[in-house]
Structure formats: C-alpha cells, structure tokens
Amino acid sequence: EHVNFIYEDIDLDKLGWLETIMQADTPDGKLPPVDILFADYNHSPTNTAKIIASFLPRMTPVSSIFIDSASTHHPSYLMLERIVQFFEQGRVPVQMLDHLKQPETRSKLRDIVAASNFKLMHMVEKQNRAQNSTAWLRIEPTSLLPAMALHMH
C-alpha cells in the first residue's frame, strides 16, 4: 500500500530501527510483512546471506528480494546460487541461523524455507560497467497451483 525508502546504512545485526519505522506507518502499530525488498547495500557474500536471513522471516509468502549488483560480483553470485540450492533442499545454512539471535526468528526462517519455493534470476544489463546487475530472489509457497491464483478454470 505504500513504499518506504530508507537512505541509511543498514545494521544487519540490529534491525530494531527498521521495525520502529515500519510499525509507525501502520494504523494498528503491528509490524507489516514486506512484499518487495530492494537492497542497494554492501553486496559482499557475507552481507548477501545476512540480508536474506534478516529479511526472509519478514517477507510475505509471495514476495521478492532484489539485491543490487550481487549477480555480477562473482563471490556473491556463487553465494546466492548455493543458498538457493540449500533452500530447495529444505535446509538453512548454519551461518544464516547463527546470524539470527532470536530462537523464534530462526524457527520462522526454517519454516519459510520448508514451505516455500525459491527462484533466483540474475538480471544483467548489456552495459559493461562495475554495477550492472541485480539478483532477484522470488519466494512462493510450495503449491500445486500458481502463486496468487485467485481463479482457476
């Protein structure tokens, strides 16, 4: 229903500031889930894994995470491919679990991975420049029907 741009460095170890901003924008003060996340942030392999671990428990069942420049940074590209391989096997890498401090958040991450399908697409521009890509991680519930299908005939 709205877009909230945050032009600050992200402390992936302490996301309380994000929850405060998101709760302030809702009438009932509840923490709303995220449909689309665009992370234009440090896209090192470690931070790429932390971004996914930090935000996946906050995403809606059908959602997308975009990580700017990760697809053409070879170490991050390999990390993303490996994370999705683990996720498709229903497994969460220990480093991602260790990053999450709260047991309920760890449990939620495991539950999401177990109940979801993940599609990783590398979108690369034709231009030859340092930051010319975006990694798109699409999250959908495991289902026999298309995601968000309201009517089947």
Side-chain angles (χ1 to χ4, degrees):
E1 297 188 349
H2 68 277
V3 175
N4 198 347
F5 293 96
I6 301 169
Y7 299 98
E8 296 180 28
D9 284 338
I10 299 172
D11 184 350
L12 292 170
D13 293 315
K14 298 175 187 169
L15 290 176
W17 61 269
L18 176 64
E19 293 172 359
T20 301
I21 291 170
M22 292 174 67
Q23 287 172 327
D25 287 341
T26 59
D28 57 5
K30 290 184 181 177
L31 187 61
V34 176
D35 294 316
I36 298 172
L37 172 70
F38 184 86
D40 186 3
Y41 181 63
N42 178 337
H43 56 267
S44 70
T46 301
N47 276 341
T48 297
K50 285 181 176 182
I51 288 167
I52 295 169
S54 297
F55 286 95
L56 192 53
R58 294 169 165 80
M59 304 300 288
T60 57
V62 177
S63 55
S64 294
I65 298 175
F66 297 91
I67 303 175
D68 194 43
S69 300
S71 292
T72 51
H73 182 242
H74 197 250
S76 297
Y77 168 87
L78 295 174
M79 177 71 78
L80 284 164
E81 291 288 335
R82 189 73 173 130
I83 288 169
V84 172
Q85 284 177 349
F86 277 123
F87 283 4
E88 286 299 320
Q89 297 167 0
R91 299 163 49 201
V92 180
V94 67
Q95 294 84 356
M96 295 175 88
L97 293 171
D98 287 348
H99 169 69
L100 302 173
K101 306 300 183 222
Q102 299 172 330
E104 61 273 6
T105 308
R106 290 180 188 175
S107 178
K108 187 169 184 182
L109 179 60
R110 283 189 190 104
D111 291 346
I112 290 168
V113 168
S116 302
N117 288 333
F118 298 87
K119 297 176 186 171
L120 177 61
M121 291 152 279
H122 299 285
M123 301 183 297
V124 181
E125 298 174 6
K126 290 182 180 181
Q127 294 185 6
N128 185 14
R129 57 187 179 111
Q131 294 189 346
N132 65 344
S133 67
T134 301
W136 177 11
L137 181 62
R138 172 82 173 169
I139 302 109
E140 298 178 352
T142 301
S143 175
L144 297 173
L145 301 176
M148 303 295 290
L150 299 177
H151 175 77
M152 298 289 290
H153 58 91

